[in-house]
Amino acid sequence: MKKTWYNLLLILIFPIGLIAQGTTNIKTVNTDVDVWIKKSFAKKAIPPFSFVYNGKSSATFITKWGYSVTKKAPGEAGVLHYEFNYQEPGNGLLVTCDVKGFANFNAVEWVLRFKNNASAQSGIIEQVKATDLNFVYEKGQVPDVHYADGSYAAKEDFRPRLQQMTAGAELKMVPEEGRSSQKSFPFFNIAFTENTGVMVAIGWTGTWFASIQQKQAQQLSLATGMEHLRTYLNPGETIRTPSTAMLFWKGNNRFTGHNKFRRFILAHHTPKINGQIARYPISNSFNYGDPAPCNEYTCMTADYGVALIKRYKQFKLVSEVFWLDAGWYKHSGEAPQKNWANTVGNWSVDSTRFPGGLGEIADEVHKAGAKFMLWFEPERVMKNSDWASQHPEWMLNASDAHDAFLFDLGNTEARQWLCKTMGKLIEDNKVDYYRQDFNMQVDIFWKNNDKPDREGISEIRYIEGLYAYWDYLLKRFPEMIIDNCASGGRRIDLETTSRSAPLWRTDYNYGEPVGYQSHTYGLELYLPLHGTGTHKTDKFSFRSSLGTAIVYNWKITESSGNINEMQACQAEFKKVRPFFYEDYYPLTGTEQTTANNIWLAYQLHRPSDDSGYIVAFRREEATSETCIVKLQGLQPQKKYTLTNEDTGEIAKKTGAELSSGFTLVLKERRSSLLLRLGVE
């Protein structure tokens, strides 16, 4: 009875979800990540996660449950790996937190799992916060949360945002439609001071949430998890939750944290091929943009594809990859009634246009010294397609009004069939790189297929299945890369970056340079690996698409193109590309990035040899011919040269001078500047 009254009193004083959290003092955290892990997950300590079980907050009972810790063998050099187990008395619910520490980056990440070890159905698990943590900071500080918009096919995609965490402030982020970076973006930087903070990343390719609140003086709370989860578990059943990564940083300013995080992503959340970071490619399209009623590649034929490859070779324009997008499969070429979008689910090669399959095109690509990448969209299945009629038992429906099913990746039998079927299709057509698109709202399918008191189970099983499918492909084809597309970049999170990269980061107005500049400017703060397209060869347009990857969507069959300009663009891209793997600094602020009356400039810096580039744009309505920028990451006493790549002009300045202010000059509106930086 006393225990009941005690629990009731706790709930009255601290509403569920506000009861004691794990606590981190931001002043002392930047020391040893192993110490942080052992302290945060210590026996009898409130761990940095929480949940409600049978109506009670875990903070009221978790320290009384059975506890064990296992130090696991690290899978990577420099990585600590622990498993912390919390067992309900009587061998009921088991809560496991799989924790990794990265000493070189002062970073930690974990995944929370629940398993019902009992022989009967478990109680209800809800309000799960995979991260539930209080940061304590010094009096007088006002933390800033630097975050970004997600993708929604807008000029504002990945736009930098700022929320000052004054008294009572709250910031909640939730993506839309079940795609992890649609409208909201699962990466952000909490700067407690100008010099101290924590980078946070969430790994969940569904509907996650992040809530940051200033609940009381000198305390900032962080909670992350699944937005919709309230379920019991059957005997022996296990579920996982979103992964969370935190990287603690100290430095001159918040960009120390951003750049440390970019390097962390490259080191530990980027696919590896033969032990090396996968280099996402420079690609050629197949003369993108056929006349109506063709769309995408619905009018492509084997002969035309082979001829185009030979033409690229003739003009010395062959890149690393030839990229064939949507429209190569059965029925997609039956215009005008059919098109690339309303024929998915018919995953066999169109034998009329490609009588020998796609192998003939792949062979020609390989003869040219390149790789062959092919587009797929296996999750969206049209209701009148082959897959829908052959396997109705594997189709999830949202409503009769919907024209497509969702292929049930959460069904083990269905997923295994998908793995074998797509693997064979890839092998038979000699595909090197796999591009997966996803053009649908998915959360309504999950919701419609959840059973009573099982909210979130369909989503969990589906997301687990997606990861298992991609992991299968990467294991079966160890030199493959996965291009992650979802109507552009709407499925970017910590889990997908570990397996893929978005080579087409947005479906925003194809080739519009101001938007493309803005997308680069915001996304580079978090991720170095992503790409977009380029359609023109003028320097203002082309430089708007610089990065680690690109697809050249030039027309090489029309007189409007210029082969010499295309070759010059390719050469410039190859020179600048390596620096996008290094440190990145926005130079013109983050308050306004999309307006047509501003300059936009950024710096790429390689600390190992103190070299880099400045990329700058004067937009159409920018009235000033000059823009003063302050370079970062330089040694004050060193002398540097800045070479204008267009004119050859050279300026010489010390690091101190460049850091205090350097004037960029562009006489013409809608023009660009590329300056190479080096040590004298």
Side-chain angles (χ1 to χ4, degrees), residues 460-504:
I460 290 171
R461 296 295 176 236
Y462 191 89
I463 300 304
E464 290 174 336
L466 174 66
Y467 299 156
Y469 171 53
W470 281 8
D471 290 344
Y472 168 87
L473 290 179
L474 293 171
K475 183 177 181 180
R476 179 168 174 175
F477 305 103
E479 295 191 1
M480 171 183 279
I481 64 168
I482 295 176
D483 171 16
N484 167 28
C485 187
S487 307
R490 304 191 197 197
R491 234 178 177 185
I492 305 171
D493 59 79
L494 190 65
E495 293 283 356
T496 57
T497 62
S498 303
R499 298 168 170 87
S500 66
L503 299 186
W504 189 262

Side-chain angles (χ1 to χ4, degrees), residues 150 322 418 460:
F322 279 89
L418 177 70
I460 290 171

Side-chain angles (χ1 to χ4, degrees), residues 191-204:
F192 292 93
T193 68
E194 185 180 359
N195 312 110
T196 308
V198 56
M199 298 288 302
V200 181
I202 300 166
W204 189 249

Side-chain angles (χ1 to χ4, degrees), residues 502-672:
L503 299 186
W504 189 262
R505 65 195 180 196
T506 176
D507 271 352
Y508 168 71
N509 189 0
Y510 287 13
E512 193 282 296
V514 170
Y516 278 24
Q517 295 162 19
S518 304
H519 303 153
T520 298
Y521 199 77
L523 193 50
E524 287 293 339
L525 284 166
Y526 303 93
L527 302 175
L529 297 183
H530 50 87
T532 190
T534 187
H535 295 71
K536 297 180 180 179
T537 55
D538 68 280
K539 291 176 180 178
F540 185 82
S541 297
F542 176 71
R543 288 172 179 168
S544 302
S545 298
L546 291 174
T548 50
I550 193 170
V551 55
Y552 297 129
N553 281 325
W554 296 319
K555 300 293 285 186
I556 62 167
T557 57
E558 296 180 0
S559 60
S560 58
N562 184 303
I563 301 303
N564 293 331
E565 289 180 3
M566 294 177 192
Q567 291 172 342
C569 287
Q570 287 187 332
E572 182 172 280
F573 190 92
K574 288 180 180 178
K575 281 200 302 185
V576 180
R577 178 196 199 186
F579 291 87
F580 280 92
Y581 289 89
E582 304 292 339
D583 287 349
Y584 166 80
Y585 298 98
L587 297 177
T588 46
T590 54
E591 295 79 17
Q592 175 55 268
T593 61
T594 59
N596 288 323
N597 63 348
I598 64 170
W599 279 66
L600 185 139
Y602 58 86
Q603 175 191 355
L604 307 169
H605 182 244
R606 183 161 61 199
S608 61
D609 64 359
D610 241 0
S611 64
Y613 280 92
I614 299 169
V615 184
F617 303 92
R618 179 187 172 188
R619 293 180 177 167
E620 184 69 47
E621 298 173 16
T623 56
S624 177
E625 295 181 354
T626 62
C627 177
I628 298 174
V629 297
K630 296 180 179 181
L631 302 194
Q632 299 197 45
L634 306 183
Q635 302 299 315
Q637 304 307 318
K638 278 189 180 180
K639 291 185 178 180
Y640 295 86
T641 60
L642 294 100
T643 305
N644 187 316
E645 293 281 46
D646 296 323
T647 66
E649 295 175 279
I650 297 175
K652 297 183 179 182
K653 299 282 184 180
T654 65
E657 290 173 321
L658 292 171
S659 299
S660 62
F662 178 70
T663 301
L664 306 177
V665 180
L666 283 170
K667 296 292 186 182
E668 302 295 327
R669 297 179 187 229
R670 198 184 182 278
S671 58
S672 67

